[in-house]
Amino acid sequence: GNINEQKPCPFSKLSKDNLSIQNTAKGTLLHHAVMTNNHELVRLLLVNHANADLIAEYKITRKGMSEIRMFTPFELAEFLASSNSCD
């Protein structure tokens, strides 16, 4: 498959009304692959030794309240998986 092909995101119910996640600094291709739920690209990057320890800054907005959080790609995946936004 084409690694640039967009995959359906299980977080597609995210909206400005319930949760917004915006990269503000130091996001890598691995972070982007996690955000877009592109499993093929995540796998390809990790097999080719992408640095999974790099930390990116994200602005998290919920119910009109914003906070800045720092995530490695794996921490970002855990955060997305644990959010209740897909209910």
Side-chain angles (χ1 to χ4, degrees):
N2 181 352
I3 64 171
N4 295 319
E5 179 181 320
Q6 290 287 4
K7 302 289 183 194
C9 178
F11 308 105
S12 61
K13 293 181 183 179
L14 294 178
S15 74
K16 65 179 181 169
D17 297 325
N18 59 17
L19 178 66
S20 171
I21 302 174
Q22 177 183 14
N23 180 266
T24 58
K26 302 180 185 174
T28 66
L29 186 54
L30 185 54
H31 284 92
H32 179 74
V34 168
M35 280 290 294
T36 58
N37 198 39
N38 190 329
H39 296 241
E40 274 185 59
L41 183 55
V42 168
R43 191 171 20 260
L44 177 67
L45 291 167
L46 292 175
V47 164
N48 287 285
H49 311 289
N51 187 344
D53 295 324
L54 296 176
I55 297 172
E57 183 176 292
Y58 288 85
K59 179 180 178 184
I60 311 295
T61 305
R62 294 182 199 176
K63 300 178 184 174
M65 303 290 288
S66 294
E67 66 177 309
I68 300 295
R69 300 271 307 265
M70 308 295 279
F71 296 109
T72 66
F74 291 124
E75 291 168 341
L76 179 60
E78 288 173 3
F79 175 81
L80 292 171
S82 69
S83 75
N84 293 323
S85 58
C86 289
D87 293 338

